[in-house]
Amino acid sequence: MTKRAIVASRRRVGVAPGRRRRTYHHGNLRRALLDAALKLVEAVGPKGLTLRATARLAGVSQAAPYRHFASKDALLATVAEEGFKALTRAMREAIGPLAGNPTAQLQVLGVAYVGFATSHSSHFRVMFEVADREAYPSLRAAADGALVILKGVISDGQKAGLVRAGDPADVALAAWSVAHGLSALLVDRQLVELGQKSADELARGVTQHLLTGLATSQSADAGSLRLC
Amino acid sequence: MTKRAIVASRRRVGVAPGRRRRTYHHGNLRRALLDAALKLVEAVGPKGLTLRATARLAGVSQAAPYRHFASKDALLATVAEEGFKALTRAMREAIGPLAGNPTAQLQVLGVAYVGFATSHSSHFRVMFEVADREAYPSLRAAADGALVILKGVISDGQKAGLVRAGDPADVALAAWSVAHGLSALLVDRQLVELGQKSADELARGVTQHLLTGLATSQSADAGSLRLC
DNA sequence: TGTACATCAGTGAACGCGCGTTCACTGATGTAC
DNA sequence: TGTACATCAGTGAACGCGCGTTCACTGATGTAC
């Protein structure tokens, strides 16, 4: 292939028209691929995502991603890991202002979880669809981060006598189930008939019901109801 | 191709060895394809399922399924529909013996839901992954069936003063979220660390927490705790 | 400051593969007479 | 009861396609001297 032909072909393939790269190197292709993957999941779902389409959307050749990710699975695992880190951050930020009030913290955690799921639905869907989490230790660690926060708040609540006693893991499972269930139903669009309410309102209502169940009689009338 | 060659080739392709069909016609290929699809989902997940593999597992040629299903999606929609019908049946059977006791009914509904999800995980996964439910009206109807039962029990509970007042749909959403969340977490194997408990135990514990939240003070001490 | 050169981050082409679906066909079945 | 024939439910081959991944390559970058 002549030099002329190569240049012409590059022009043909191009990047997004009008945004042709000025340099041969991309600059931050790793980041661009992750973003492209998220956009694709949004458009066609996790099972419709292909590595070739991701490269295409990022404006590079189909082989380019292999400079940054060992395989398609590795790309997805990275997306999932970033998702868990963002979720953990969101949860941490939600409970920050409420230090010392575990009951309120528990509710905002639920709301934060559902909020993350609906506003980052591509992340959320990938997070729970990575085939083999054990193959990616840093993903595994990131996923644990969120659970650690939840368990901490619950055990704080128990120490303060505001949350039912019992294995924190059991109580955490109940809390996690509500938040995860509502999130999954919303993200999978199973709830079209409840359309008029915002995800936030739904989350507040649903977690409220659970919280009342988790509260001790001491806190039931005071703490848990304050937020609504 | 000569007749001899055709016969030889058919013998080569065969059905499962030793189980070669006696007749040219299968008998109940539709059923066999649905069962094969479930087995495949069990083995490789919904996104790994292919129509060709389904046909292979059922022992017929790759074109045969088209005598019974218009497309791969139609096959999956039928699997999902059967799943929703089985779930509805399980829910109906669970609440039957407890007629007149809506609080207990609410709990067994949650346990039945989680039980269905874990013991029919292939069905469950397909049920919530069919791309366009609206394209299959009978699937849509089957999916509504389960929700109708749940709403009925809730409104019974409200009439009897045993469940918090409010839009039954809101309360149903809370109940559905817990059951669905726990189911999704179990089916996606997010709960390896809680391994020693059975799905049943988990379901009872988790729904119990929610129920206490949904109960009125009238029922809180009596009805809802009786089952555990 | 200039330059040789190692390394990095892309490229286009190719590999082999399995997929969903369609087609013309044929063996099996059941029904009207 | 026997038979002609329409219909049903399979078959094997083929179509076109896009996929994940590998390869030898080359332009760009940065660093040692």
Side-chain angles (χ1 to χ4, degrees), chain A residues 61-207:
Chain A
S61 77
Q62 65 205 234
Y66 289 91
R67 293 289 149 197
H68 300 275
F69 300 97
S71 65
K72 183 190 176 186
D73 276 355
L75 199 230
L76 283 176
T78 306
V79 170
E81 184 183 334
E82 291 199 338
F84 276 110
K85 283 179 178 161
L87 170 63
T88 307
R89 209 179 311 125
M91 288 170 69
R92 221 191 302 279
E93 282 167 11
I95 61 172
L98 297 167
N101 185 350
T103 313
Q105 284 185 322
L106 212 43
Q107 172 152 36
V108 297
L109 276 188
V111 175
Y113 191 101
V114 177
F116 175 85
T118 51
S119 65
H120 299 76
S121 61
S122 298
H123 266 128
F124 187 79
R125 296 172 75 178
V126 174
M127 284 156 69
F128 294 98
E129 283 204 16
V130 167
D132 181 14
R133 186 178 294 176
E134 302 308 313
Y136 301 93
S138 63
L139 165 57
R140 169 83 210 196
D144 282 345
L147 197 51
V148 166
I149 294 184
L150 176 58
K151 281 183 188 160
V153 168
I154 284 167
S155 100
D156 285 356
Q158 290 176 323
K159 277 181 209 136
L162 297 169
V163 171
R164 246 160 235 273
D167 185 348
D170 284 3
V171 183
L173 180 58
W176 191 15
S177 291
V178 208
H180 187 75
L182 179 56
S183 299
L185 293 172
L186 286 169
V187 166
D188 287 349
R189 310 203 179 288
Q190 302 294 316
L191 299 174
V192 275
E193 69 273 14
L194 297 171
Q196 72 281 18
K197 284 201 183 160
S198 77
D200 239 53
E201 287 177 281
L202 292 174
R204 257 196 290 275
V206 165
T207 56

Side-chain angles (χ1 to χ4, degrees), chain B residues 21-179:
Chain B
R21 288 206 306 283
R22 307 150 308 285
T23 83
Y24 184 88
H25 284 183
H26 181 284
N28 198 352
L29 181 53
R30 187 187 149 88
R31 182 72 259 150
L33 288 167
L34 292 168
D35 293 341
L38 284 171
K39 269 192 199 124
L40 276 175
V41 171
E42 187 105 33
V44 297
K47 79 178 168 193
L49 178 143
T50 69
L51 202 46
R52 290 167 95 114
T54 306
R56 238 176 277 134
L57 190 57
V60 292
S61 76
Q62 64 206 233
Y66 289 92
R67 294 288 149 198
H68 300 274
F69 299 98
S71 66
K72 184 191 175 184
D73 276 355
L75 198 230
L76 283 176
T78 306
V79 170
E81 184 182 334
E82 291 199 338
F84 276 111
K85 282 180 179 161
L87 170 63
T88 307
R89 209 178 312 125
M91 288 170 69
R92 219 191 304 278
E93 282 167 11
I95 60 172
L98 296 167
N101 186 350
T103 312
Q105 284 184 321
L106 211 43
Q107 173 151 35
V108 297
L109 275 188
V111 175
Y113 191 100
V114 177
F116 175 84
T118 50
S119 66
H120 298 77
S121 61
S122 298
H123 266 128
F124 187 78
R125 296 171 76 178
V126 173
M127 283 157 69
F128 295 99
E129 283 203 16
V130 167
D132 182 13
R133 185 177 296 176
E134 301 310 312
Y136 301 94
S138 62
L139 165 57
R140 169 83 210 195
D144 282 345
L147 197 51
V148 165
I149 295 184
L150 177 58
K151 282 184 187 159
V153 168
I154 284 167
S155 101
D156 285 356
Q158 289 176 324
K159 276 183 210 135
L162 297 168
V163 171
R164 248 159 232 271
D167 185 347
D170 284 3
V171 183
L173 179 59
W176 191 16
S177 290
V178 208

